[in-house]
C-alpha cells in the first residue's frame, strides 16, 4: 500500500512538473519583450473592467491608452476601494470588474485592519502565471521534492472570520487551476479538509498531527519562517496529545470542531513522538522528516534571523529564500 501511494505521488509530481514547464516557457518567451508583455497585461485589465462601475468612475474603456490609465487612475490605498468592495460583497454584484469575483481573501498589515482582497478569475490566472515558472524551476533544481509529500501552508484566517463567506478562503490550493488542484491535492501531506475546522487553533492542531504522521515529507513551503518555527514549538507543547491522535486515530474531545476532518493514524510516528525528549533540534527534524529536500520561506529583512534559525534546525534540507507576494 505504501509503495502504491509513493508511486502515485511520483507520477503526480511528474505530471505537475511537465504542465508547469508550459508556464515557464511562456514566462521566458514574455521576458524577451517586456514592454510588449506589459502592454498586453494592461490591455487585459482594461478588457476585464470595461463597462464596470470602476471603469466608469475612472473614465476607462478597452480602447484606453497607457497614458489615459496613468492620468486617470490615481495611486490608491485600500480605503479608496473599501466601500466598493463592501458593497460588491454585500449585494453580490460586479462593480470592480465585469467578471465574477470567486473569493475575498482577508489580509492585513502590521498596522492596519482586515482588508478583503477580491480574487477574480483573471487575477487568479495572473497568480498561476507566477506560480508555474517557480514550480518548474523547483522541480528542476531540487529533484528530491518529487519523491514524497509536500506541505504548503494555508492562509491562516482568524477564527471569527472563518465561514463568513466560504471555506475557500482557508484553502490556498484554490488559487490554482482545477487541474493543478487535482495533481497537487494528491501530493499534499496535510489535506485541504483542515480548512473546514471551526477555529484556526483546531486547524493548527490538525496540521501538526498530519505533519508528524508524514515521514514521506519532501517539501515545506511557508511564508514567514516564524510560522514554521511556531509549528515546531506547538508540536513540542502538544507532544502527548498529538501522539495520542496518531496511535488512536481519533481527535481529542477538546477539538470538537474537527469532526469533519479525518484524523491521521501512524503508530510508528506516535511511538517516536512519545519517546522524543522534547528538544527541538536537528536530530529531531532529521528523524521525523528524513526525506525533506527543501524548505521555502522569507529570508530577507526582519525574517533573516528566523530563516537562519530554521536552516540550523533542518541542516539535512536545502533552503530557498523567497520574497513578498503583493496582493494589495
Amino acid at each position: 500500500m505504501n509503495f502504491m501511494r509513493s508511486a502515485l505521488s511520483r507520477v503526480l509530481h511528474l505530471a505537475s512538473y511537465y504542465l508547469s514547464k508550459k508556464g515557464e516557457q511562456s514566462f521566458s518567451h514574455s521576458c524577451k519583450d517586456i514592454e510588449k508583455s506589459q502592454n498586453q497585461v494592461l490591455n487585459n485589465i482594461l478588457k476585464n473592467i470595461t463597462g464596470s462601475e470602476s471603469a466608469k468612475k475612472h473614465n476607462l474603456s478597452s480602447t484606453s491608452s497607457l497614458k489615459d490609465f496613468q492620468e486617470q487612475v490615481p495611486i490608491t490605498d485600500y480605503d479608496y476601494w473599501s466601500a466598493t468592495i463592501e458593497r460588491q460583497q454585500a449585494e453580490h454584484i460586479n462593480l470592480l470588474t465585469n467578471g465574477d469575483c470567486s473569493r475575498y481573501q482577508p489580509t492585513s498589515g502590521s498596522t492596519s485592519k482586515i482588508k478583503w482582497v477580491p480574487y477574480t478569475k483573471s487575477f487568479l490566472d495572473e497568480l498561476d502565471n507566477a506560480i508555474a515558472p517557480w514550480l518548474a524551476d523547483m522541480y528542476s533544481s531540487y529533484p528530491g521534492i518529487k519523491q514524497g509529500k509536500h506541505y504548503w501552508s494555508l492562509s491562516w484566517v482568524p477564527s471569527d472570520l472563518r465561514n463568513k463567506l466560504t471555506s475557500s478562503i482557508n484553502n490556498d490550493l484554490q488559487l490554482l487551476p482545477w487541474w493543478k488542484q487535482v495533481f497537487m491535492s494528491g501530493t499534499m501531506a496535510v489535506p485541504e479538509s483542515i480548512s473546514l475546522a471551526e477555529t484556526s487553533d483546531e486547524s493548527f492542531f490538525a496540521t501538526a498531527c498530519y505533519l508528524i504522521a508524514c515521514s514521506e515529507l519532501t517539501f515545506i513551503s511557508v511564508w514567514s519562517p516564524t510560522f514554521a518555527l511556531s509549528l515546531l514549538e506547538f508540536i513540542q507543547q502538544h507532544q502527548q496529545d498529538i501522539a495520542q491522535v496518531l496511535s488512536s486515530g481519533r481527535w481529542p474531545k477538546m477539538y470538537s470542531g474537527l469532526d469533519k476532518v479525518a484524523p491521521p493514524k501512524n503508530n510508528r510516528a506516535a511511538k517516536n513522538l512519545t519517546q522524543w525528549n522534547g528538544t527541538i533540534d536537528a536530530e529531531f527534524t532529521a528523524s521525523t522528516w528524513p526525506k525533506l529536500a527543501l524548505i521555502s520561506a522569507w529570508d530577507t529583512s526582519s525574517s533573516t534571523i528566523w530563516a537562519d534559525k530554521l536552516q540550523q534546525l533542518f541542516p539535512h534540507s536545502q533552503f530557498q529564500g523567497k520574497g513578498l507576494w503583493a496582493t494589495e
Side-chain angles (χ1 to χ4, degrees):
M1 183 64 71
N2 288 335
F3 173 78
M4 291 295 294
R5 285 199 296 266
S6 180
L8 176 60
S9 180
R10 286 195 294 271
V11 169
L12 290 174
H13 281 308
L14 187 63
S16 179
Y17 168 63
Y18 281 112
L19 290 168
S20 296
K21 282 291 289 184
K22 292 184 178 180
E24 182 184 48
Q25 292 166 357
S26 176
F27 176 79
S28 297
H29 178 74
S30 296
C31 287
K32 295 178 181 178
D33 191 337
I34 299 296
E35 182 176 2
K36 178 181 178 181
S37 298
Q38 288 301 296
N39 279 326
Q40 184 60 52
V41 170
L42 176 61
N43 290 336
N44 288 337
I45 291 174
L46 292 172
K47 179 181 177 181
N48 289 328
I49 68 171
T50 295
S52 68
E53 182 176 291
S54 176
K56 294 174 183 176
K57 177 180 178 179
H58 299 96
N59 194 28
L60 295 173
S61 70
S62 59
T63 59
S64 296
S65 66
L66 172 60
K67 184 178 180 180
D68 293 333
F69 189 89
Q70 292 171 329
E71 292 179 349
Q72 293 159 202
V73 181
I75 296 175
T76 64
D77 57 18
Y78 183 78
D79 288 340
Y80 182 87
W81 302 96
S82 60
T84 305
I85 292 174
E86 289 172 7
R87 183 182 161 205
Q88 179 171 285
Q89 278 184 290
E91 299 179 18
H92 301 288
I93 55 177
N94 299 325
L95 302 174
L96 297 165
T97 70
N98 54 37
D100 293 336
C101 182
S102 58
R103 169 176 176 171
Y104 294 88
Q105 180 66 42
T107 183
S108 65
S110 57
T111 60
S112 60
K113 61 183 180 181
I114 291 290
K115 298 182 286 289
W116 292 93
V117 181
Y119 282 21
T120 60
K121 183 183 183 304
S122 59
F123 179 52
L124 291 175
D125 287 343
E126 288 188 24
L127 296 185
D128 182 53
N129 289 338
I131 291 172
W134 175 50
L135 270 179
D137 177 71
M138 281 198 303
Y139 276 124
S140 297
S141 302
Y142 309 98
I145 69 174
K146 301 176 185 177
Q147 306 304 314
K149 297 286 187 176
H150 291 184
Y151 171 59
W152 290 40
S153 66
L154 301 177
S155 296
W156 290 90
V157 178
S159 297
D160 59 341
L161 294 179
R162 291 195 164 221
N163 303 316
K164 181 174 181 179
L165 295 174
T166 170
S167 62
S168 70
I169 63 174
N170 302 322
N171 180 15
D172 284 354
L173 282 185
Q174 293 196 14
L175 299 179
L176 304 176
W178 69 267
W179 57 267
K180 283 188 179 176
Q181 292 183 41
V182 171
F183 286 126
M184 296 190 69
S185 63
T187 61
M188 290 293 136
V190 179
E192 66 177 86
S193 59
I194 70 162
S195 65
L196 300 175
E198 293 181 1
T199 69
S200 56
D201 287 343
E202 288 169 334
S203 288
F204 207 61
F205 180 77
T207 296
C209 290
Y210 269 101
L211 287 177
I212 289 294
C214 185
S215 61
E216 301 294 313
L217 190 68
T218 59
F219 175 52
I220 293 176
S221 174
V222 295
W223 297 111
S224 172
T226 59
F227 177 82
L229 293 170
S230 66
L231 258 174
L232 292 173
E233 292 176 359
F234 185 90
I235 291 169
Q236 178 190 54
Q237 295 164 3
H238 297 78
Q239 177 180 355
Q240 296 306 319
D241 287 335
I242 295 172
Q244 182 62 32
V245 170
L246 298 185
S247 62
S248 68
R250 295 190 300 272
W251 298 119
K253 292 182 179 179
M254 68 184 80
Y255 294 109
S256 58
L258 289 172
D259 60 328
K260 297 179 182 178
V261 183
K265 185 174 182 179
N266 186 322
N267 289 322
R268 178 180 297 178
K271 181 179 179 180
N272 291 340
L273 191 62
T274 300
Q275 295 174 346
W276 175 41
N277 65 10
T279 302
I280 302 173
D281 55 17
E283 181 180 353
F284 169 70
T285 62
S287 62
T288 305
W289 302 292
K291 297 183 179 180
L292 188 64
L294 177 65
I295 297 176
S296 177
W298 295 335
D299 68 341
T300 58
S301 187
S302 60
S303 294
T304 301
I305 184 174
W306 306 112
D308 290 343
K309 183 175 181 179
L310 195 59
Q311 292 177 67
Q312 292 170 10
L313 291 174
F314 290 87
H316 67 293
S317 170
Q318 292 181 281
F319 186 90
Q320 180 196 64
K322 60 188 174 191
L324 291 170
W325 194 344
T327 57
E328 301 173 19

